[in-house]
Amino acid sequence: MLSTPLRNVLKSNLSTDGRAPEWPKVVITNLQIPDGQMTMARSLSLKASECINFDAVLWRDAKRVERFSGLSLCAKELPRQSNDFVVTWKSFPVPGKTTGQVRGDGPTPLYNKLPSDQAMEQWLLNQFGLYYVGSLLTVVGYDPNFTIDERRFWIKNLK
């Protein structure tokens, strides 16, 4: 993922007036989580070889879309930072027009940025999800200090 056009793509269109830009948008699809990260029986230390795998959709605007498949983000590539902002980020629904609970891959965002299934909740509860989701947000250029920018990144589904 680090060597794709997704890297820092949200920084390509920063706010100039305090309102969140509409474009570009990044949608993560078919997210695959390592099996070992779904239980609380293990330590929170990540093995360098542990990777999430996924596909992504990049909406440059309402008509220009790029699709990426077979992407991964491995523990050794995770930015060294606190990902505590994910707890706040995931808590707030997307403002404005959404697809509601229909989980699509854009360009209109959905109401909840993350799937609300048991697997996603367990992954986040075990902290691994916070590391990886926070790292995905960081890699695409999300600014956790600019909390109005909520419409440009979501995870469609777990595979």
Side-chain angles (χ1 to χ4, degrees), residues 62-134:
K63 295 184 178 163
R64 291 185 307 147
V65 62
E66 295 177 57
R67 296 183 184 277
F68 303 88
S69 58
L71 300 176
S72 64
L73 184 62
C74 298
K76 63 184 177 197
E77 301 168 319
L78 300 181
R80 303 262 182 238
Q81 67 182 23
S82 168
N83 288 317
D84 293 342
F85 71 91
V86 175
V87 174
T88 304
W89 173 83
K90 75 178 190 73
S91 300
F92 293 102
V94 175
K97 182 182 177 191
T98 69
T99 61
Q101 300 301 324
V102 177
R103 300 204 70 80
D105 60 0
T108 303
L110 40 91
Y111 185 71
N112 291 317
K113 294 170 273 221
L114 298 174
S116 58
D117 58 27
Q118 184 63 32
M120 178 59 79
E121 289 176 23
Q122 185 66 42
W123 190 49
L124 293 169
L125 182 66
N126 289 345
Q127 302 295 311
F128 296 110
L130 295 180
Y131 296 147
Y132 280 98
V133 172

